[in-house]
Amino acid sequence: MPPTVDRDANAALRARFDEVHARYTHLRENVGELQRQLAGLEVSLASPDGTVTVVVGARGQLLRLKLHERAYGAHRPDRLAELITQTTRKAEQAAAEATAELVARAVPGETGVPELLRGGDLGALLRRHDDTMGYQEA
């Protein structure tokens, strides 16, 4: 007996494949531009009193630190160190958000990658894909 063919199921599967392939192609075509944008991303942030300015890169790495000449007179050394640290942390958070925004333009939101960059929760990303795939732990 010849096997039956479900033409509607095949057509739906083909349409889904075409959609996934188009998204992948779009990502591959734009990954070079995304990498250039991320490599050039700099976030500059000043402390509330303007005595400390930090510039960080896309991964939050400190690129430059500028101390206003009045920083030394306005703050004790331990307070100045704390102000540098606080300002750097805020700049790191801003850089993470800017990075996530750039990635969200290139990577489809339903992949969970932009949220991973924002929150750093790999478990949430995996649970999202598990739900999509119907995976359950044994």
Side-chain angles (χ1 to χ4, degrees), residues 36-55:
R36 281 187 290 283
Q37 289 175 339
L38 290 172
L41 180 68
E42 292 186 359
V43 173
S44 178
L45 189 72
S47 63
D49 68 357
T51 59
V52 173
T53 301
V54 297
V55 179

Side-chain angles (χ1 to χ4, degrees), residues 12-60:
L13 183 60
R14 180 62 191 193
R16 177 68 178 137
F17 173 80
D18 290 343
E19 176 187 342
V20 170
H21 185 263
R23 287 181 181 183
Y24 175 77
T25 301
H26 175 76
L27 176 61
R28 289 298 300 156
E29 289 171 350
N30 294 298
V31 74
E33 178 60 24
L34 174 62
Q35 288 175 323
R36 281 187 290 283
Q37 289 175 339
L38 290 172
L41 180 68
E42 292 186 359
V43 173
S44 178
L45 189 72
S47 63
D49 68 357
T51 59
V52 173
T53 301
V54 297
V55 179
V56 298
R59 294 184 314 273

Side-chain angles (χ1 to χ4, degrees), residues 43-56 62 64-91:
V43 173
S44 178
L45 189 72
S47 63
D49 68 357
T51 59
V52 173
T53 301
V54 297
V55 179
V56 298
L62 183 64
R64 289 185 296 285
L65 170 65
K66 180 181 177 186
L67 301 176
H68 191 280
E69 60 188 41
R70 64 184 163 83
Y72 301 105
H75 304 288
R76 294 186 331 265
D78 60 330
R79 174 64 185 124
L80 182 56
E82 182 180 328
L83 190 58
I84 292 168
T85 301
Q86 289 173 350
T87 305
T88 303
R89 284 188 183 141
K90 288 179 183 177

